[in-house]
């Protein structure tokens, strides 16, 4: 057989193999029925848009349940139009995610406003014990899509007592002279997330007494001096996002549509709602109209979308990287208002349930060390704040550690943050401050400067409450996390 003939035979075999492989790929991966592929491509975007509605439905149902007798209180209970107050600072027993802090006591309620305004009342909060510095507190109000729309607290309304009204959309009425109209609620259901600074365990009883005075009433009950829980419609059970993921996957679209029907997206999203109409996603849409192919496409979109969002959280998407730390996107807290749907779903909603406006608090996150390696307990780390480079804040700063479920991690010291109120912090002779993070206390390090870490991967959050302008503008540079 001649050399040329051998070459042509080999070439022919290669071509036949290529065509056979191409036909398989075409049939298996490209020639998906058009309706399935159409629903998948639109559905993936719809997952990103609708995720906060689904997560908040899940969290609201979990937090609406009564406290079970004999069980420890680790998450909000009975928190519908009624404040739940943390009985202690949040620790690793709480497992509902959201990167909770270990600096403030939480006051939480899912509020519902429909026919008349709700009146939120707060007491005189005053100063920190033994100081002339105001005790930091805030009540963050976020719509059901997770975007903030108002604040009560030290920064916005001061530390004096007051009464503030949240009106339903389109309400036109008169308020008493001692009630200030704070905002119109973008959605009938909204979250009130309160934080009150605690300086120590000994300070907690004073904070608890303050929180018990946070109150919520309908306007008519406020005027008639009647104290009762405002009414709210009954809730439909929703699978727990962390504990019942398979059930949530199967019900994602029905939960999303029900939530958007009860809490219609704003007029600014009308064009997007029209875009999702042919896959039956949005307020008032009917999933039973879909073809079998479209159902398959939407199911695929949920599976991919709910794995994609955590992946986004571990990248630098939308963030500003400084020394291995990531500043949040500048529209964090109100990402949906700016049309930043992926930021809203992955960083704002999945990462924190809701997120503070930068003027209220900035959370700077480190998943990796100065060499770009993911943080894990197999190594020890040090963070050196030069003299004069402590985070500039008006309220407080702290650094906490979380696992990949966005929860605090148990440790033998029961220490879940280090910051400006940590007792016994040891500064270096030159005025600098070194903090240590690791599974074991490094030799020669002061235990008071050590944040214990698990043996597995973790990440750090540096919080700055009422941050200085240099942090808001993302000019201040957090020091690198250096592997030792």
């Amino acid at each position: 057989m001649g050399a040329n003939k051998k070459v042509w035979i080999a070439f022919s075999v290669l071509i036949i193999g290529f065509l056979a492989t191409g036909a398989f790929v075409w049939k298996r991966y490209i020639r998906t029925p058009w309706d399935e592929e159409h629903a998948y491509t639109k559905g993936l975007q719809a997952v990103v848009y609708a995720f906060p509605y689904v997560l908040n439905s899940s969290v609201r149902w979990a937090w609406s349940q009564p406290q079970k007798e004999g069980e420890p209180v680790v998450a909000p209970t009975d928190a519908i139009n009624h404040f739940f107050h943390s009985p202690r600072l949040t620790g690793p027993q709480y497992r509902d995610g959201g990167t909770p802090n270990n600096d403030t006591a939480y006051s939480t309620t899912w509020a519902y406003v429909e026919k008349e305004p709700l009146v939120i009342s707060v007491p005189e909060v005053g100063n920190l014990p033994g100081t002339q510095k105001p005790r930091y507190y805030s009540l963050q109000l976020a719509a059901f899509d997770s975007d903030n729309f108002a604040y009560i607290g030290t920064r916005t309304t001061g530390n004096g007592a007051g009464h503030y009204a949240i009106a339903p959309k389109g309400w036109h009425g008169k308020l008493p002279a001692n009630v200030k109209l704070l905002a119109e609620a973008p959605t009938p259901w909204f979250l009130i997330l309160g934080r009150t600074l605690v300086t120590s365990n000994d300070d907690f009883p004073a904070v608890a007494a303050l929180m018990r005075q946070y109150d919520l009433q309908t306007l008519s009950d406020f005027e008639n001096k009647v104290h009762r829980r405002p009414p709210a419609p009954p809730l439909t059970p929703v699978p727990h996002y962390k504990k019942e993921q398979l059930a949530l996957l199967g019900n994602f679209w029905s939960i999303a549509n029900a939530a958007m029907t009860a809490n219609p997206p704003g007029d600014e999203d009308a064009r997007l709602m029209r875009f999702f109409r042919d896959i039956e996603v949005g307020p008032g849409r009917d999933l039973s109209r879909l073809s079998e192919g479209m159902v398959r496409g939407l199911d695929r979109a949920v599976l991919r979308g709910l794995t994609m969002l955590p992946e986004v959280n571990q990248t630098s998407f939308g963030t500003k990287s400084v020394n291995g730390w990531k500043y949040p996107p500048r529209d964090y807290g109100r990402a949906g208002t700016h049309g930043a749907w992926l930021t809203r779903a992955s960083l704002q909603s999945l990462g924190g349930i809701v997120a503070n406006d930068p003027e209220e608090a900035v959370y700077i996150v480190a998943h990796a060390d100065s060499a770009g390696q993911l943080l894990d307990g197999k190594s020890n780390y040090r963070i050196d704040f030069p003299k004069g480079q402590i985070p500039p804040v008006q309220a407080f700063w702290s650094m906490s550690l979380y696992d990949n479920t966005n929860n605090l991690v148990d440790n033998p010291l029961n220490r879940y943050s280090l910051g400006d109120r940590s007792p016994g912090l040891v500064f270096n002779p030159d005025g600098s401050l070194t903090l240590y993070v690791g599974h074991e206390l490094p030799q020669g390090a002061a235990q008071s400067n050590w944040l214990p870490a698990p043996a597995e991967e973790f990440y750090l959050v540096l919080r700055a409450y009422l941050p200085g302008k240099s942090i808001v503008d993302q000019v201040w540079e957090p020091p690198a996390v250096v592997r030792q």
Side-chain angles (χ1 to χ4, degrees):
M1 185 182 294
N4 289 340
K5 188 173 183 180
K6 289 181 179 180
V7 170
W8 275 109
I9 291 174
F11 183 71
S12 299
V13 170
L14 182 64
I15 291 296
I16 292 170
F18 177 77
L19 291 174
T21 302
F24 172 78
V25 171
W26 175 266
K27 183 176 179 181
R28 176 66 180 83
Y29 294 105
I30 299 177
R31 288 204 59 191
T32 305
W34 76 267
D35 55 349
E36 179 180 341
E37 201 65 20
H38 177 69
Y40 173 74
T41 54
K42 275 197 175 183
L44 193 56
Q45 300 307 311
V47 169
V48 172
Y49 180 84
F51 179 79
Y53 291 91
V54 175
L55 179 66
N56 284 340
S57 296
S58 174
V59 172
R60 180 185 58 183
W61 173 251
W63 291 359
S64 74
Q65 301 306 294
Q67 174 62 31
K68 294 181 180 178
E69 187 174 351
E71 291 191 2
V73 179
V74 296
T77 57
D78 193 27
I80 301 295
N81 270 350
H82 170 262
F83 276 110
F84 166 86
H85 302 298
S86 304
R88 65 188 71 84
L89 290 175
T90 304
Q93 297 77 20
Y94 168 87
R95 305 305 298 171
D96 279 353
T99 57
N101 74 53
N102 185 244
D103 307 288
T104 68
Y106 285 99
S107 299
T108 311
T109 183
W110 284 98
Y112 181 78
V113 60
E114 182 183 25
K115 296 178 180 178
E116 61 174 321
L118 291 177
V119 177
I120 304 169
S121 299
V122 296
E124 173 78 37
V125 173
N127 298 330
L128 292 171
T131 76
Q132 296 301 309
K133 184 177 181 179
R135 181 189 295 276
Y136 172 82
Y137 92 104
S138 68
L139 299 181
Q140 174 188 4
L141 280 64
F144 208 75
D145 62 6
S146 87
D147 276 351
N148 301 325
F149 66 92
Y151 276 89
I152 300 168
T154 303
R155 175 179 66 92
T156 54
T157 58
N159 277 27
H163 307 288
Y164 304 93
I166 304 298
K169 275 189 175 181
W171 181 80
H172 299 287
K174 187 175 182 181
L175 295 172
N178 62 339
V179 176
K180 178 181 178 181
L181 178 62
L182 188 69
E184 186 179 87
T187 52
W189 284 100
F190 60 94
L191 178 63
I192 306 177
L193 186 58
R195 301 173 178 88
T196 308
L197 181 60
V198 180
T199 61
S200 66
N201 288 333
D202 292 339
D203 186 39
F204 200 94
V207 172
L210 285 172
M211 294 192 300
R212 285 193 293 270
Q213 298 175 69
Y214 299 160
D215 199 13
L216 190 65
Q217 296 174 272
T218 62
L219 175 60
S220 56
D221 282 354
F222 177 84
E223 291 179 308
N224 295 321
K225 296 181 170 52
V226 176
H227 197 275
R228 58 186 172 184
R229 184 184 300 211
L235 297 177
T236 301
V238 177
H240 194 287
Y241 182 74
K242 297 292 183 182
K243 302 173 185 175
E244 305 166 89
Q245 292 179 336
L246 289 179
L248 184 67
L249 289 174
N251 291 286
F252 184 93
W253 297 113
S254 59
I255 295 167
N257 283 0
M260 285 189 278
T261 301
N263 301 277
D267 294 340
E268 63 276 11
D269 295 350
R271 186 174 180 181
L272 197 55
M273 293 301 97
R274 290 193 296 272
F275 179 72
F276 294 143
R277 184 180 296 167
D278 65 344
I279 59 170
E280 294 296 338
V281 172
R285 306 311 300 170
D286 184 358
L287 295 165
S288 69
R289 297 173 181 164
L290 294 173
S291 67
E292 290 184 5
M294 283 194 169
V295 170
R296 287 195 302 270
L298 288 182
D299 286 346
R300 284 173 51 206
V302 173
L303 287 170
R304 181 63 189 111
L306 294 187
T307 57
M308 180 180 74
L309 295 180
E311 293 170 7
V312 174
N313 259 341
Q314 299 209 1
T315 70
S316 296
F317 171 77
T319 65
K320 177 183 178 181
S321 295
V322 180
N323 294 332
W325 293 85
K326 295 182 290 186
Y327 269 103
R330 291 181 180 270
D331 50 16
Y332 202 46
R334 306 190 188 218
T337 304
H338 297 89
W341 313 123
L342 189 55
T343 296
R344 186 178 77 172
S346 61
L347 306 182
Q348 182 173 296
S349 181
L350 176 61
I353 302 176
V354 293
N356 272 303
D357 292 349
E359 294 78 12
E360 191 71 30
V362 172
Y363 300 169
I364 313 172
V365 180
H367 284 96
D369 62 20
S370 57
Q373 300 298 310
L374 290 176
L375 304 177
D376 67 71
K378 299 181 181 66
S379 301
N380 286 323
Y381 305 89
R382 61 182 291 156
I383 303 167
D384 293 297
F385 293 89
K387 181 180 180 180
Q389 291 300 306
I390 299 298
V393 294
Q394 296 180 47
F396 68 90
W397 70 269
S398 70
M399 185 179 71
S400 298
L401 179 154
Y402 300 90
D403 61 18
N404 60 10
T405 69
N406 304 317
N407 289 295
L408 295 162
V409 182
D410 197 12
N411 67 73
L413 295 184
N414 291 322
R415 178 181 293 162
Y416 306 109
S417 66
L418 288 174
D420 56 6
R421 290 151 297 104
S422 297
L425 277 185
V426 177
F427 283 74
N428 300 317
D430 63 357
S432 63
L433 175 66
T434 300
L435 301 182
Y436 301 91
V437 182
H439 191 53
E440 297 180 355
L441 177 67
Q443 186 174 4
Q447 188 180 80
S448 57
N449 291 33
W450 174 47
L451 187 61
E456 302 80 26
E457 289 184 359
F458 61 89
Y459 68 96
L460 298 171
V461 175
L462 183 64
R463 286 179 167 83
Y465 271 77
L466 303 189
K469 189 175 185 300
S470 62
I471 293 182
V472 173
D473 292 343
Q474 303 186 358
V475 173
W476 179 78
E477 296 190 0
V481 182
V482 179
R483 189 183 298 253
Q484 293 187 279

